[in-house]
């Protein structure tokens, strides 16, 4: 059975688990040097962003918690 990923919602914020449809925006964000400047120091390739997205989803699937 897959763990239920919580959804957090307030008047100004909506947080949900990652979905495959998030990939293009995720890849664009991690490719931006301004975003990664202080997080690892370099932009990520699309392949690295894909692996990151899979890890995020996999944490919930395998461990029941994650980003």
């Amino acid at each position: 059975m897959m763990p239920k990923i919580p959804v957090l919602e307030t008047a100004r914020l909506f947080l949900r688990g990652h979905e495959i449809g998030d990939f293009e925006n995720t890849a664009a964000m991690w490719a931006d040097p301004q975003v990664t400047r202080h997080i690892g120091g370099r932009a990520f390739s699309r392949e690295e962003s894909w692996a990151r997205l899979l890890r995020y989803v996999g944490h919930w699937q395998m461990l029941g918690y994650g980003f």
Side-chain angles (χ1 to χ4, degrees):
M1 186 166 107
M2 292 183 0
K4 182 166 174 59
I5 300 171
V7 173
L8 303 174
E9 186 172 0
T10 70
R12 296 177 16 184
L13 179 67
F14 181 76
L15 298 175
R16 60 160 174 74
H18 291 83
E19 299 173 355
I20 192 138
D22 297 330
F23 175 67
E24 290 300 329
N25 288 333
T26 299
M29 180 187 74
W30 287 112
D32 185 340
Q34 292 290 64
V35 171
T36 58
R37 179 174 57 176
H38 301 293
I39 310 171
R42 66 172 183 82
F44 294 166
S45 69
R46 288 180 62 81
E47 182 178 345
E48 290 169 316
S49 294
W50 177 246
R52 180 178 289 270
L53 184 66
L54 292 177
R55 281 195 307 274
Y56 290 164
V57 173
H59 274 103
W60 283 101
Q61 296 299 315
M62 301 298 292
L63 304 172
Y65 64 90
F67 293 103

